[in-house]
Amino acid sequence: MSRYIALSLAVILAVASAPSAQQGGALQTAAATLGAANIKTLQYTGSGANFSVGQNFSPSEPWPHVTVKNYTALINYDTGSMRAELLRESGPVMPRGGGAPFFGEQRQIQVVGGDYAWNVAAPAANAPAGAPAPMAAPQPGARVERMLALWSTPVGFVKAAMANNATTKTSGSGTEASFTVGGKYKMTGLINKQGQVEKVTTWIDHPIVGDMAVVTTYTGYKDFGGVMYPSRIVQTQDGYPSLDITIASVTANPAVNIAVPQNVPAFQPPAVRVESQKLGDGVYYLTGGTHHSLAIEMADHIVVVDTPNEETRASAVLAKAKELIPSKPIRYVITSHHHWDHLGGIRTAMDEGATIVTHQSNKAFLERVAKTPHTINPDRLAASKKGVKIQTVGDKGQLTDGKRVIELYRLTGYEHTGDMMVVYLPKEKILAEPDAFTPPAQAGAPMIPPALVYAKALNDNIQRLKLDVQVITPLHGNRTTDVAELAKVASAAGTR
Ligand SMILES: [Zn+2]
């Protein structure tokens, strides 16, 4: 017994007396194990899944799974650039939950290089030989996430830790290394005794969940033709898997020349613009971006439906509502559903002092959202620290001032989300709905099978609820529609 204690003490003393040598040593060991000094560029390929973050069926379920038939990453550590190509696949029915519907194979190419991020569109299948490649689509909002993904790779982490004077400490049987990149982005990684990077955690700003943890774990290290690399990479965002790739091959030092396309640095994001269309007395359809809203005048207040995207858009929507309906406060903001694209400005609505009207399944999530730390990019609510007011609705809800009635109905049999509330104005016969049916720019244009399935669900619900609808205002797309067009599209789903 005494011998055991003495040994333990000796180990503790050794660590305590020379921490920097021991722990700095972990980074040296990892660099040697992974060949970090000799790897300037890297390619790895695999397959598995990625997941539609922010699009779960309910806030307590994982992100929807999308099959990735092929995943290829190309990295140049010297130039700080990375290109990830995903070949995704979906059948006629989307996985339960949201995400942009697609059918068949879909190729995504996501690139980061220095100060810029962009997507590359795959050339059209029928493009003639020698046709110019499609223009790169600038993605300034994705730059930080992609940069952190590049430095979160095992080799990238070791290089970044050494270059940024990482501090290290013992953690379990391994060593934890922490440092900051880009001035404000913290990175923490766990290196085991074999010098393998097991886990890297970073935090990126998100308008809803604030400082969002992105955790990448690396398991099954093996020798891929002279390169020690993990055989499985699993990443989570806000606690649920966002990427899960099994690696098939790794190549060290291939040629990786990633040049920033000419149109990318010149890109200026378009100014946020809210356009309004009067649908009836005191009822306004607010468009001008990717996601639309409604502003509805009540006797002594305003009701807004959806504050989407993020704070800039939400602020502009709230300002427009107050401009159209002057001298009345925004007392209620109805959220159509909890998906992050439609919910992006919810903290702005909370800061406005509005009561958030939502399906009961979102209450706990919204209470958490009201309190999430936003230290990377503080928003209005982070400064005001206002408390949140939530009014929940079950399958049916109603807001009224005694004269105007706003009815809310939860869609059933709708696999996109479990909490979708459509907004119905019985007097005006207007129905607002997001995602279920976005009419094609030209009536009669074909729609992909997954979109038909959603349209059918909406049509079935309108019939089930016996709603008398004259105008459908979709919260996406470029026009209003009606039940005749919806029914026609829905019947195409029935014949499949
Ligand atoms: Zn949605």
Side-chain angles (χ1 to χ4, degrees):
M1 176 63 91
S2 61
R3 193 180 142 88
Y4 175 71
I5 289 169
L7 196 66
S8 300
L9 274 177
V11 170
I12 290 163
L13 283 175
V15 172
S17 61
S20 57
Q22 279 260 334
Q23 294 154 357
L27 279 172
Q28 301 292 344
T29 307
T33 301
L34 304 173
N38 298 323
I39 293 178
K40 310 286 181 197
T41 66
L42 192 68
Q43 171 173 351
Y44 53 92
T45 64
S47 59
N50 76 343
F51 300 78
S52 305
V53 174
Q55 300 287 329
N56 42 0
F57 186 76
S58 78
S60 56
E61 289 181 45
W63 312 132
H65 170 289
V66 179
T67 299
V68 174
K69 290 170 75 176
N70 191 279
Y71 178 96
T72 300
L74 282 168
I75 300 171
N76 187 321
Y77 291 108
D78 284 350
T79 60
S81 48
M82 176 172 180
R83 178 188 193 276
E85 178 166 343
L86 292 79
L87 182 61
R88 310 200 314 158
E89 188 176 43
S90 168
V93 176
M94 290 287 288
R96 180 176 146 103
F102 71 100
F103 179 54
E105 289 188 346
Q106 180 190 59
R107 196 174 295 274
Q108 292 182 336
I109 302 173
Q110 303 162 348
V111 197
V112 65
D115 289 337
Y116 302 102
W118 64 96
N119 290 349
V120 179
N126 56 358
M135 282 264 271
Q139 304 286 317
R143 185 184 69 86
V144 169
E145 181 180 351
R146 292 180 189 176
M147 175 193 72
L148 292 174
L150 154 58
W151 298 116
S152 290
T153 59
V155 170
F157 182 79
V158 172
K159 285 177 182 278
M162 290 177 145
N164 290 280
N165 302 316
T167 58
T168 55
K169 64 174 188 185
T170 304
S171 175
S173 63
T175 299
E176 187 186 281
S178 298
F179 56 96
T180 300
V181 290
K184 59 176 175 178
Y185 298 101
K186 211 178 118 194
M187 298 190 73
T188 295
L190 190 68
I191 298 165
N192 67 19
K193 276 186 170 162
Q194 290 78 46
Q196 300 161 346
V197 177
E198 285 186 347
K199 181 165 100 169
V200 176
T201 305
T202 63
W203 291 263
I204 56 177
D205 172 62
H206 189 276
I208 300 174
V209 296
D211 304 347
M212 178 172 77
V214 179
V215 182
T216 314
T217 51
Y218 301 103
T219 53
Y221 272 86
K222 64 177 194 184
D223 187 337
F224 286 89
V227 186
M228 190 56 82
Y229 214 71
S231 52
R232 185 145 178 240
I233 300 175
V234 177
Q235 185 193 73
T236 66
Q237 294 194 7
D238 202 40
Y240 299 122
S242 49
L243 184 72
D244 185 342
I245 298 295
T246 298
I247 302 298
S249 71
V250 181
T251 310
N253 298 317
V256 179
N257 302 307
I258 296 172
V260 181
Q262 244 178 8
N263 66 305
V264 171
F267 175 73
Q268 293 286 341
V272 172
R273 183 168 59 88
V274 182
E275 290 168 0
S276 70
Q277 182 185 339
K278 192 170 180 176
L279 299 174
D281 195 24
V283 182
Y284 300 91
Y285 187 32
L286 305 181
T287 62
T290 56
H291 292 62
H292 313 325
S293 305
L294 289 189
I296 304 167
E297 180 169 14
M298 306 299 268
D300 62 353
H301 64 274
I302 304 170
V303 175
V304 168
V305 179
D306 269 5
T307 45
N309 303 127
E310 38 63 59
E311 182 146 282
T312 312
R313 177 80 198 168
S315 296
V317 164
L318 297 178
K320 191 66 167 185
K322 288 189 281 192
E323 175 197 316
L324 293 164
I325 307 167
S327 309
K328 291 184 182 180
I330 296 168
R331 200 163 287 161
Y332 297 95
V333 169
I334 297 168
T335 66
S336 60
H337 64 309
H338 75 284
H339 286 168
W340 286 7
D341 52 330
H342 291 271
L343 200 67
I346 202 64
R347 283 174 53 93
T348 314
M350 292 172 181
D351 177 72
E352 185 74 18
T355 295
I356 312 302
V357 182
T358 189
H359 187 257
Q360 58 202 20
S361 60
N362 299 330
K363 185 167 188 277
F365 177 61
L366 287 183
E367 284 169 348
R368 184 193 140 212
V369 164
K371 293 188 179 136
T372 45
H374 282 243
T375 63
I376 299 169
N377 186 16
D379 60 0
R380 280 168 54 172
L381 192 62
S384 74
K385 296 188 173 61
K386 279 188 190 166
V388 61
K389 293 174 279 183
I390 298 173
Q391 181 172 320
T392 61
V393 176
D395 282 347
K396 185 183 177 194
Q398 192 189 68
L399 296 178
T400 182
D401 59 3
K403 276 168 85 181
R404 190 192 298 282
V405 175
I406 302 172
E407 294 178 356
L408 306 174
Y409 293 97
R410 189 181 75 87
L411 296 189
T412 58
Y414 181 53
E415 291 292 285
H416 178 80
T417 182
D419 64 321
M420 177 72 79
M421 307 298 306
V422 294
V423 178
Y424 179 57
L425 303 178
K427 196 173 128 237
E428 295 81 2
K429 304 186 195 302
I430 293 169
L431 182 91
E433 55 83 21
D435 300 347
F437 179 47
T438 302
Q442 285 180 312
M447 295 180 69
I448 57 171
L452 300 177
V453 174
Y454 293 155
K456 182 174 187 311
L458 176 63
N459 195 51
D460 290 350
N461 274 275
I462 290 173
Q463 288 178 7
R464 172 180 65 86
L465 297 162
K466 299 186 170 57
L467 304 182
D468 181 9
V469 178
Q470 261 172 16
V471 179
I472 297 174
T473 58
L475 300 186
H476 290 291
N478 66 347
R479 63 186 175 94
T480 59
T481 179
D482 56 29
V483 282
E485 185 180 8
L486 171 66
K488 202 172 163 195
V489 170
S491 70
T495 58
R496 301 190 77 86

